[in-house]
CSV table of all heavy atoms in Angstrom, one decimal:
chain,number,residue,atom,x,y,z
A,207,THR,N,110.5,109.0,101.4
A,207,THR,CA,111.9,108.7,101.3
A,207,THR,C,112.7,109.6,102.1
A,207,THR,O,113.7,109.2,102.8
A,207,THR,CB,112.3,108.7,99.8
A,207,THR,OG1,111.5,107.8,99.0
A,207,THR,CG2,113.8,108.4,99.7
A,208,LYS,N,112.4,110.9,102.1
A,208,LYS,CA,113.1,111.9,102.9
A,208,LYS,C,113.1,111.5,104.4
A,208,LYS,O,114.1,111.8,105.0
A,208,LYS,CB,112.5,113.3,102.7
A,208,LYS,CG,113.2,114.4,103.4
A,208,LYS,CD,112.5,115.7,103.1
A,208,LYS,CE,113.1,116.9,104.0
A,208,LYS,NZ,114.6,117.0,103.7
A,209,LEU,N,112.0,111.0,104.8
A,209,LEU,CA,111.9,110.6,106.2
A,209,LEU,C,112.6,109.3,106.6
A,209,LEU,O,113.1,109.2,107.7
A,209,LEU,CB,110.4,110.6,106.6
A,209,LEU,CG,109.7,111.9,106.5
A,209,LEU,CD1,108.2,111.6,106.7
A,209,LEU,CD2,110.2,112.9,107.5
A,210,LEU,N,112.7,108.4,105.7
A,210,LEU,CA,113.2,107.1,106.1
A,210,LEU,C,114.7,106.8,105.5
A,210,LEU,O,115.4,106.0,106.1
A,210,LEU,CB,112.3,106.0,105.5
A,210,LEU,CG,110.9,105.9,106.1
A,210,LEU,CD1,110.1,104.7,105.5
A,210,LEU,CD2,111.0,105.7,107.6
A,211,LEU,N,115.1,107.6,104.5
A,211,LEU,CA,116.4,107.4,104.0
A,211,LEU,C,117.5,107.7,105.0
A,211,LEU,O,118.5,107.0,105.0
A,211,LEU,CB,116.6,108.2,102.7
A,211,LEU,CG,117.9,108.2,102.0
A,211,LEU,CD1,118.4,106.8,101.7
A,211,LEU,CD2,117.9,109.1,100.8
A,212,PRO,N,117.4,108.8,105.8
A,212,PRO,CA,118.5,109.0,106.7
A,212,PRO,C,118.9,107.9,107.6
A,212,PRO,O,120.1,107.6,107.9
A,212,PRO,CB,118.0,110.2,107.5
A,212,PRO,CG,117.1,110.9,106.6
A,212,PRO,CD,116.4,109.8,105.8
A,213,GLY,N,117.9,107.1,108.0
A,213,GLY,CA,118.2,105.9,108.9
A,213,GLY,C,119.0,104.9,108.1
A,213,GLY,O,119.9,104.2,108.6
A,214,MET,N,118.7,104.7,106.8
A,214,MET,CA,119.4,103.7,106.0
A,214,MET,C,120.9,104.2,105.9
A,214,MET,O,121.8,103.4,106.0
A,214,MET,CB,118.8,103.6,104.6
A,214,MET,CG,117.4,103.1,104.5
A,214,MET,SD,116.8,103.0,102.8
A,214,MET,CE,115.1,102.6,103.0
A,215,MET,N,121.0,105.4,105.6
A,215,MET,CA,122.4,106.0,105.4
A,215,MET,C,123.2,105.9,106.8
A,215,MET,O,124.4,105.6,106.7
A,215,MET,CB,122.3,107.4,104.9
A,215,MET,CG,121.7,107.5,103.6
A,215,MET,SD,121.5,109.2,102.9
A,215,MET,CE,123.2,109.6,102.5
A,216,GLU,N,122.6,106.1,107.9
A,216,GLU,CA,123.3,106.0,109.2
A,216,GLU,C,123.7,104.5,109.4
A,216,GLU,O,124.8,104.3,110.0
A,216,GLU,CB,122.4,106.5,110.3
A,216,GLU,CG,122.1,108.0,110.3
A,216,GLU,CD,121.1,108.4,111.3
A,216,GLU,OE1,120.6,107.5,112.1
A,216,GLU,OE2,120.7,109.6,111.3
A,217,ARG,N,122.9,103.6,109.0
A,217,ARG,CA,123.2,102.2,109.2
A,217,ARG,C,124.1,101.6,108.1
A,217,ARG,O,124.5,100.4,108.1
A,217,ARG,CB,121.9,101.3,109.3
A,217,ARG,CG,121.1,101.7,110.6
A,217,ARG,CD,119.9,100.7,110.7
A,217,ARG,NE,118.9,100.9,109.6
A,217,ARG,CZ,117.9,101.8,109.7
A,217,ARG,NH1,117.8,102.6,110.7
A,217,ARG,NH2,117.0,102.0,108.7
A,218,ALA,N,124.3,102.4,107.1
A,218,ALA,CA,125.2,102.1,105.9
A,218,ALA,C,124.7,100.8,105.2
A,218,ALA,O,125.5,100.0,104.7
A,218,ALA,CB,126.6,101.8,106.4
Side-chain angles (χ1 to χ4, degrees):
T207 302
K208 180 178 175 61
L209 294 171
L210 296 180
L211 178 57
M214 296 182 190
M215 297 178 72
E216 289 171 8
R217 293 186 295 272

